[in-house]
Structure formats: C-alpha cells, structure tokens
Amino acid sequence: MPMKEYDYLVVGAGLFGAVFVRQAIDAGKRCLVVDRRNHIGGNIYCEDVDGIHVHQYGAHIFHTDNKEVWDYVNRFVAFNRYTNSPLANYKGVLYNLPFNMNTFNKLWGVNTPQEAKDKIEEQRREYAHIQSPANLEEQALTLCGNDIYQKLIKGYTEKQWGRPATELPAFIIRRLPFRFVYDNNYFNDEYQGIPKGGYNKLIENLLEGADVRLNTNYFSDRQALNALADKILFTGCIDEFYDFCFGHLEYRSLRFEHERLEVDNYQGNAVINYCEREIPYTRVIEHKHFELGKQPHTVITREYPADFTLGDEPYYPVNDEKNMQLYEKYKEMATSVPGILFGGRLAQYAYFDMDDTVAAALLLAQNEL
Ligand code: FAD
Ligand code: UDP
C-alpha cells in the first residue's frame, strides 16, 4: 500500500490540536491541521489592534497548579506577571472578586475576618435546613447566604446560563473561590499570566513544522481529507462527528461586541463583571490591561451570553445529567473506532481550562506516540 502523505490529520487548530501536533512532530510524525475558521488558535486566538492583543473569543488568563504544564507552555512563550482580579458591578457599586475581605468590607462594613465570618454565618443560618443542595441556588445560599447571592451571583449566573438558578447544577458555583484575606487574586493556582506578545505566538510555535489549511471544514471534504492521513485527531463537536445520531448535545454560546475607543484607559481594570439581570452582557473586558499596555487607544469587549442553535459557536458544554448521559453514548462509540482520536473541550464535552486542555493533549500524545 502506498504511504499516505501524513501520519495525522488534526481537525481543529485550537490549543488541544496544537499541543498534540507539537508532540507528534517532535516524535517524527507528519501532520496536517485543518480548521474551519480563518485563523489558528481556536478560542485563544487574539487579533492585534495597533499593539493591543484583543482576545476575540473572551478573556483568557492562563493559570495552573500543574508544574509540568506550566514548564511546557513556557518552552514556547514567556508569560507576564498579570494577576486576574476582576471587579463586579451591581447597580453601579463595584465589589472585588473573588469573594474576599475587600468584598465583605464593601458589603457589610466589616473589617476583620472574624466579623466577616460571623456575618456570613448569620446569613447562612437561614438556609441551614438545606442538607444537600439540589441546585445552584441552594448551593449558593448555603455557601454564602442571601446578600452575596442576590447581588453577585443570581443575575450573572441566570443570564450566563439562560435559565433560572433553581434549574442549574450546583457544581458550577463550586468554582467560585471564597477567602478571608484582603486578596483579590481570582485564582488559587501557583502559576498565572498572559503570554508576552499574545496567545498567537504560543500556538504558532506549537504548530511549527505542520501543514495548516484554514477555512477548511472537515465535514465539507471528509473523504478526501481522510485519505491524506493514516490517523485522525478530531477536536470539534463529537455529536457532529457522528451526524447527531443519538441527538444533539447542548451548548451555551456567546456574542462578543468589540469596540475601539480613543481613550487610554476606559475602565481601569481588565475584567469587570455586570451582575444585574437587566444588563444584557455579563462582562466588559479591556484587553490592554492584560499586558499592562501603554497605548494611547484602547479596545473593549462586551460579552453577551447567547442560546446555542446549530451553526453558532459552541462555547460552553452544558454538563448536566441529561447531556452527560448523551455524551457517554458518543464516547462509547468513539472508543470503538481504531485510527480516530478525540480530544479537547468539544470532543470530550468538558469544561476544560487551558491547563486542563494542555494536560489532556499531552496525555493523549503520550499514550499514542
Ligand atoms: P477550541 O479552542 O474550541 O478549538 C477547536 C477548533 O476546532 C476551533 O478552532 C474550531 O474552529 C475547530 N473545528 C471545530 N469543528 C471543526 C470542523 N468540522 N472542521 C474544521 N475545524 C473545526 N481557559 C483558561 O484557562 N482561562 C481562561 O480565562 C479561559 N477563559 C475562557 C473564556 C471563554 C469565553 C471560553 C469559551 C473559554 C475559556 N477558557 C479559559 C477555556 C479555553 O478556551 C479552552 O481550554 C481551550 O481553548 C480549548 O482548546 P480546544 O483546542 O479544545 O478547543
Ligand atoms: N459567577 C457569578 N458571579 C460573577 C462571576 C461568576 O455568579 O461575578 C458564577 C457564574 O455562575 C459562572 C461561574 O461563577 O458561570 C463561573 O464563573 P467564572 O468566571 O469563574 O468562569 P467562566 O465563566 O469564565 O468559565
């Protein structure tokens, strides 16, 4: 049999595909990468607007506790010292996130950790009868009581997920850190930062040595693309790969409204969340602050949550019970086909942060190569 042109066809030039490609090329394999978008990088892609790297698909802050992953990405790009410390705007008042002493001080005028704990205890006591929280609202009320829930969680969460908090799984809110020091660092992880020069550099360096075809939808030319390589790594939606044979997985989508402003500093912080239900966007990003930019202009992005219908960008998997059962069927089908690998946020239907994505891609590469 004549040798095929490539060892791997990688569908998707996002972070998962790019890490796998790097490992494959370093192991002597030939890779062809296709992406239906007109650029590499998937959701971490940035557009350069006169020196400001605009995160086209939402704010991306790299943070991890995994030293192997941190060392790995640092091989390809240096990171700056950016520390994420978002603010939350509720009815014109600004509160620090994550929930910490600064937040409690602003909410209740308490000054010491003990005063804050007493206040939260008093707030939680009302919900002590909830033994095991059945939904996000119950989880939030038992964790932090009514004040924080009403001002900083309920509106943001309901617009983000497009449904009442009583119908959302409790685990979403366990992602919100909660602490009793005056520390606005959003993440508890040991390592964090933004690539110096932007995320595109990371992806470009990972993909070096691979052939890349943009504006190429795998499904439009499936047979011909399959014929080019011995094996396939697919990082798109797993339900689409199987022609939705068991039904459609649900996603949440987003709409981004980018705006260039001729002022040097619009909001004084990279990320400001808007927690009122009545304001249609969830956050406003001012990109230059990720890189401590000094340009005379600025670019902001309003992020609007959106329902997902086929053809939209599937940003977040909806990992509730119904969808996870459906995903398990696709996963079972996927493991039974030799020569086709699946990985990444869409193919694994998982709420992966970038470090999880890198770790998962390295694991797949290790098993495969
Ligand atoms: P993607 O980046 O989605 O890449 C998949 C690629 O496959 C896409 O380019 C797509 O066009 C392509 N593709 C799909 N189907 C086809 C097809 N049929 N044919 C050709 N190409 C196809 N993580 C953090 O660590 N920190 C953050 O602050 C953070 N913020 C986030 C904010 C938002 C709004 C979102 C949505 C995610 C955020 N993440 C963050 C998560 C991060 O984006 C992911 O971990 C990472 O981008 C996943 O990479 P991936 O390659 O799996 O998926
Ligand atoms: N959240 C909230 N208020 C905020 C920020 C976040 O209630 O000001 C909740 C919301 O339910 C959201 C979850 O916390 O879906 C996780 O938010 P985070 O910003 O950590 O994750 P991301 O949406 O960026 O993946």
Side-chain angles (χ1 to χ4, degrees):
M1 213 167 74
M3 205 164 113
K4 289 191 178 176
E5 206 172 325
Y6 297 99
D7 297 298
Y8 289 97
L9 167 69
V10 175
V11 180
L15 185 59
F16 191 98
V19 169
F20 183 85
V21 161
R22 179 76 269 129
Q23 298 306 97
I25 287 178
D26 288 351
K29 307 293 183 190
R30 300 152 304 154
C31 299
L32 172 65
V33 183
V34 299
D35 203 296
R36 62 183 169 198
R37 295 183 185 174
N38 64 2
H39 58 74
I40 58 171
N43 286 343
I44 71 176
Y45 169 74
C46 294
E47 198 139 308
D48 188 328
V49 179
D50 287 337
I52 298 175
H53 297 113
V54 176
H55 299 211
Q56 286 296 300
Y57 304 97
H60 278 77
I61 301 121
F62 202 102
H63 58 95
T64 189
D65 256 340
N66 185 329
K67 185 161 189 315
E68 190 195 337
V69 166
W70 183 245
D71 289 343
Y72 185 81
V73 292
N74 274 275
R75 273 173 48 195
F76 303 99
V77 70
F79 282 75
N80 73 12
R81 61 144 189 87
Y82 176 78
T83 300
N84 197 33
S85 48
L87 292 161
N89 184 319
Y90 181 74
K91 302 203 166 166
V93 181
L94 290 173
Y95 299 91
N96 286 109
L97 294 176
F99 306 138
N100 73 81
M101 285 306 297
N102 290 305
T103 329
F104 309 140
N105 175 267
K106 186 89 168 234
L107 276 165
W108 303 307
V110 295
N111 291 337
T112 67
Q114 193 54 53
E115 286 166 14
K117 283 179 185 166
D118 291 346
K119 187 71 195 175
I120 289 170
E121 214 25 65
E122 175 195 313
Q123 292 257 319
R124 293 168 56 155
R125 211 168 296 138
E126 266 184 68
Y127 306 96
H129 58 278
I130 302 173
Q131 295 288 325
S132 51
N135 56 56
L136 190 144
E137 176 162 297
E138 292 188 1
Q139 175 74 69
L141 288 169
T142 54
L143 269 179
C144 52
N146 198 49
D147 283 359
I148 291 179
Y149 176 63
Q150 293 296 338
K151 287 184 176 166
L152 301 177
I153 295 175
K154 188 177 193 298
Y156 185 101
T157 300
E158 292 189 340
K159 58 186 171 181
Q160 173 83 326
W161 295 98
R163 58 182 90 165
T166 48
E167 290 172 22
L168 285 166
F171 78 86
I172 296 177
I173 219 68
R174 288 186 210 123
R175 284 167 62 89
L176 279 187
F178 202 69
R179 56 172 93 104
F180 293 93
V181 283
Y182 287 92
D183 177 3
N184 299 325
N185 180 353
Y186 197 62
F187 301 116
N188 290 316
D189 291 340
E190 176 132 12
Y191 312 103
Q192 115 174 252
I194 303 281
K196 286 185 184 173
Y199 283 98
N200 297 4
K201 246 172 79 177
L202 169 63
I203 296 288
E204 281 160 17
N205 290 342
L206 287 167
L207 288 178
E208 204 184 311
D211 289 340
V212 178
R213 291 188 198 171
L214 300 175
N215 303 303
T216 305
N217 188 334
Y218 172 68
F219 298 116
S220 309
D221 209 7
R222 197 166 183 163
Q223 303 309 328
L225 287 168
N226 287 348
L228 295 176
D230 290 331
K231 285 187 160 189
I232 299 168
L233 165 62
F234 182 77
T235 74
C237 296
I238 192 165
D239 54 344
E240 194 177 6
F241 188 90
Y242 288 114
D243 226 359
F244 311 105
C245 65
F246 298 124
H248 289 258
L249 287 166
E250 286 180 280
Y251 300 89
R252 282 295 288 163
S253 197
L254 298 167
R255 186 168 63 79
F256 298 102
E257 201 178 83
H258 307 291
E259 190 180 355
R260 177 186 171 131
L261 300 168
E262 300 310 320
V263 297
D264 71 333
N265 191 358
Y266 171 74
Q267 65 180 13
N269 205 40
V271 183
I272 299 190
N273 292 359
Y274 284 81
C275 295
E276 284 157 72
R277 186 73 190 83
E278 292 70 28
I279 293 177
Y281 43 86
T282 47
R283 36 192 176 190
V284 178
I285 309 305
E286 187 170 13
H287 302 268
K288 69 191 302 178
H289 297 311
F290 287 125
E291 298 180 69
L292 323 166
K294 301 279 185 288
Q295 300 83 357
H297 65 293
T298 195
V299 181
I300 62 164
T301 300
R302 295 185 189 83
E303 183 175 320
Y304 296 81
D307 289 332
F308 171 83
T309 42
L310 211 58
D312 295 336
E313 282 296 340
Y315 287 106
Y316 293 105
V318 179
N319 297 112
D320 60 10
E321 218 168 288
K322 184 180 101 200
N323 283 289
M324 289 314 285
Q325 279 176 12
L326 183 54
Y327 167 66
E328 285 303 322
K329 290 194 192 173
Y330 284 114
K331 188 180 161 191
E332 203 172 309
M333 200 166 201
T335 44
S336 65
V337 198
I340 307 179
L341 310 167
F342 294 85
R345 203 175 46 89
L346 300 172
Q348 293 179 257
Y349 198 64
Y351 202 130
F352 280 166
D353 275 329
M354 286 178 280
D355 61 331
D356 305 317
T357 302
V358 172
L362 287 175
L363 182 67
L364 179 71
Q366 193 183 24
N367 293 335
E368 171 68 15
L369 297 165

